[in-house]
Amino acid sequence: MTSKTDEATGAADALGYEQARDELIEVVRRLEAGGTTLEESLALWERGEELSKVCRRWLDGARARLDAALAGPEGDGDDED
């Protein structure tokens, strides 16, 4: 049996970078605006943490792809002649 947190994390993992970033922006906006209960604020904070991890994974993956592309099949990336 899965918990609500496990389901939310799985759903967050399925998001693309832009979707996760946009939702994270909305979460931050709502937290900064205030007017939410403690329980709502905690839920928003937790969601924001999940979304932040999704964005970080996407960015780390992009960095790894760029590093691999820059290294290229021709060697270690040194362009000395």
Side-chain angles (χ1 to χ4, degrees):
M1 185 172 161
T2 60
S3 69
K4 280 187 173 183
T5 303
D6 292 338
E7 291 172 7
T9 300
D13 287 341
L15 293 175
Y17 173 77
E18 288 80 6
Q19 292 170 308
R21 182 203 58 211
D22 291 347
E23 186 176 342
L24 180 56
I25 290 169
E26 179 61 19
V27 165
V28 170
R29 187 196 63 73
R30 289 181 61 194
L31 284 169
E32 288 178 342
T36 57
T37 66
L38 176 59
E39 193 65 32
E40 291 169 333
S41 294
L42 287 172
L44 285 168
W45 179 269
E46 290 170 345
R47 181 63 176 165
E49 289 290 327
E50 293 168 6
L51 293 165
S52 174
K53 289 176 186 176
V54 170
C55 289
R56 174 56 50 198
R57 280 193 296 273
W58 275 105
L59 292 171
D60 289 345
R63 169 55 61 194
R65 288 174 63 188
L66 285 171
D67 289 344
L70 290 173
E74 298 153 2
D76 61 359
D78 287 340
D79 288 338
E80 294 182 26
D81 290 323

